[in-house]
Amino acid sequence: MTLRDLEYICAVADFKHFGKAAEACFVSQPTLSGQIKKLEEQLGVILFERSHKGIRVTDTGKEIITIAREATDAARRIKSVAAAAQDPLAGTISLGLIPTVAPYLIPRFVRNIQSELKNLSVNYREDITDRLIEALISGELDVAVLATPPEDESLTAIELYSEPFWLIFPKGHILDSSETVSMTDVKDEDVLLLTEGHCFRDQALSICRPPQKRRRQSLRATSLETLINLVASGQGVTLVPALAMRGGWTHDLDLSSRELSDKGAARQIYLTYRKQFPRVKAVRALADIIRKGLPESVKTE
DNA sequence: AATCGCAGGAAATCGTATCA
DNA sequence: TGATACGATTTCCTGCGATT
């Protein structure tokens, strides 16, 4: 049994047609047919039921093909790792980002990656912190932009930037008359927050006073955009990290904003990766490119 | 260098469906 | 019912790499 045999059976399972599977594997149909027959004899099981109506994968075949796909995927990853070892700045990197960072940060560096790291291709995934950390540990992801420092001992991180929190409130609100605003100035308004699971919710809660924490348990927003629109419709006030701030909001939706003066009203953003990840050079290059695209409203030191 | 094993291709063959 | 088309299998041969 060879890796090539496994590719053949995966192709037949995909195409349900020996001729098309052979074409996809760049061999003649008799070659593919012969190799599959030999594999079936070696294993002592029938993988495919051939009939005039077409090809059907047997139950045992389905189990074996599932494992074959894992094996061929693993082989591809091995090749990718080997290629990356020869040139750390080439190949593919899987990058995860949390939802309160992804839409605001990606547009700031994606073009620079294309122009400065021409041989590096980046796969993006947006998800909440816990799932990104799981994916990092399992090897599903190579690096992740997170707003919490690495706790798992297998992970390490590069500090990217720190971003202050801004308070968003309706234009004409009493806070509009103040140059500086702190959470103690938020008296009776509901502080609208993201649903549980979003780290920004916990970070925002950490600077809220107890009465503010108790309100609005029924609201379940999963994006900053939703919170902003709720503020615009008079449902309360909300907090937004600096990178997510953009001029259009305040103008188009009749909102005002102030950077919070509270101590601790900011968060550190990290580029987190596995300690054993062999392509640290690529991670550092990625961190440099991300920092280059940042606005002055966030701090890189 | 000789030998062996194996993958792969070409051609022949087989089985079945379709159609006149 | 025979001709034809299509897809899979079998047989035979070649080339290549590993081993001795």
Side-chain angles (χ1 to χ4, degrees):
Chain A
M1 178 173 31
T2 66
L3 206 52
R4 190 126 185 84
D5 295 338
L6 301 184
E7 287 169 354
Y8 289 164
I9 61 173
C10 290
V12 173
D14 287 340
F15 290 97
K16 302 284 191 299
H17 188 283
F18 274 61
K20 287 174 185 168
E23 196 182 339
C25 295
F26 304 103
V27 295
S28 67
Q29 185 264 314
T31 295
L32 179 125
S33 178
Q35 288 306 111
I36 287 178
K37 189 170 186 296
K38 206 168 74 181
L39 183 64
E40 287 179 324
E41 283 168 4
Q42 275 180 6
L43 297 174
V45 294
I46 299 296
L47 302 173
F48 304 105
E49 279 178 20
R50 291 87 157 163
S51 74
H52 57 273
K53 287 179 181 172
I55 301 295
R56 182 187 158 272
V57 186
T58 63
D59 290 343
T60 310
K62 282 176 189 166
E63 280 185 54
I64 290 173
I65 283 158
T66 301
I67 302 167
R69 288 193 202 283
E70 290 168 6
T72 52
D73 282 349
R76 267 193 289 276
R77 288 206 300 275
I78 288 169
K79 284 179 189 169
S80 165
V81 168
Q86 291 174 342
D87 180 1
L89 299 182
T92 301
I93 275 203
S94 299
L95 171 65
L97 301 102
I98 53 175
T100 52
V101 166
Y104 317 106
L105 185 62
I106 290 175
R108 293 183 174 277
F109 69 81
V110 69
R111 282 179 192 280
N112 290 341
I113 286 185
Q114 285 165 354
S115 60
E116 293 181 37
L117 300 174
K118 288 189 170 60
N119 296 324
L120 188 73
S121 132
V122 180
N123 291 336
Y124 298 95
R125 167 174 163 184
E126 182 185 300
D127 215 329
I128 59 172
T129 304
D130 287 351
R131 285 203 283 267
L132 291 181
I133 290 173
E134 272 178 37
L136 269 178
I137 293 170
S138 71
E140 204 179 318
L141 278 177
D142 299 320
V143 280
V145 177
L146 303 174
T148 51
E151 288 180 4
D152 191 281
E153 60 179 20
S154 67
L155 301 177
T156 185
I158 296 171
E159 291 189 356
L160 283 177
Y161 60 93
S162 108
E163 56 179 349
F165 297 162
W166 285 61
L167 187 72
I168 310 285
F169 51 87
K171 196 161 273 180
H173 190 280
I174 191 164
L175 295 171
D176 228 351
S177 58
S178 311
E179 281 295 312
T180 59
V181 170
S182 109
M183 285 307 286
T184 55
D185 301 323
V186 179
K187 305 289 185 197
D188 301 321
E189 299 84 353
D190 283 324
V191 180
L192 309 179
L193 300 172
L194 294 173
T195 55
E196 285 176 23
H198 289 268
C199 60
F200 184 62
R201 174 193 170 85
D202 302 327
Q203 289 153 356
L205 274 174
S206 71
I207 59 164
C208 285
R209 292 177 302 119
Q212 296 163 345
K213 292 180 185 180
R214 281 197 294 273
R215 294 186 199 130
R216 276 287 172 163
Q217 297 302 315
S218 60
L219 181 70
R220 306 184 73 80
T222 59
S223 80
L224 294 174
E225 309 277 334
T226 304
L227 293 180
I228 297 286
N229 283 293
L230 285 166
V231 173
S233 59
Q235 300 299 303
V237 301
T238 194
L239 299 171
V240 165
L243 199 65
M245 286 296 300
R246 51 186 174 83
W249 278 349
T250 50
H251 186 265
D252 299 344
L253 298 172
D254 236 12
L255 296 169
S256 289
S257 60
R258 295 285 189 283
E259 184 176 331
L260 282 170
S261 59
D262 301 74
K263 189 168 180 279
R267 64 176 184 175
Q268 179 67 45
I269 302 295
Y270 303 86
L271 189 60
T272 307
Y273 58 100
R274 287 183 304 285
K275 285 177 185 167
Q276 299 303 317
F277 185 56
R279 299 164 67 191
V280 177
K281 201 173 168 185
V283 178
R284 290 199 182 117
L286 193 57
D288 288 343
I289 285 177
I290 291 173
R291 284 198 201 100
K292 265 192 219 173
L294 292 171
E296 288 183 3
S297 59
V298 303
K299 302 180 186 79
T300 54
E301 293 301 324

